[in-house]
Amino acid sequence: MVDHVLAARVVSVGGEIDLNTAGQLDKVVVAAINETTVGVVVLDLTGVTFLSSNGISALLQGKAHGASVGVELRVVVATGGAARRSLEITGLTDLLANYSTLSAALAS
């Protein structure tokens, strides 16, 4: 689901992000970045139950694409959630702008 909330385009994703679904995530993130007029895309991953290396690659590609067109990508990953664990294990919590709640990402 893609929504405009305050000054950001919000994309909510749920379920498993793996080899079969990472391409869809990539397309949705790129489209949201290309279509936003506010300069911020928030990717809400609190409903994600599994985040594979393919999903992480899609996040990094989204971050790079956003940076190339002047759009900030913020990621919401719940404390203790599957997406946060994947980012922590790979050491990407410092690389990706990540927040525990949607409201914190929007307020930043």
Side-chain angles (χ1 to χ4, degrees), residues 31-43:
I33 288 168
N34 289 342
E35 295 168 5
T36 191
T37 58
V38 293
V40 176
V41 171
V42 176
L43 183 59

Side-chain angles (χ1 to χ4, degrees), residues 39-78:
V40 176
V41 171
V42 176
L43 183 59
D44 185 351
L45 301 178
T46 56
V48 169
T49 57
F50 177 74
L51 181 63
S52 74
S53 59
N54 302 92
I56 290 171
S57 178
L59 295 178
L60 293 173
Q61 290 173 7
K63 176 183 171 47
H65 176 65
S68 74
V69 295
V71 175
E72 179 184 2
L73 178 65
R74 300 176 188 167
V75 181
V76 180
V77 286

Side-chain angles (χ1 to χ4, degrees), residues 74 99-108:
R74 300 176 188 167
Y99 303 84
S100 297
T101 65
L102 179 58
S103 59
L106 293 171
S108 178

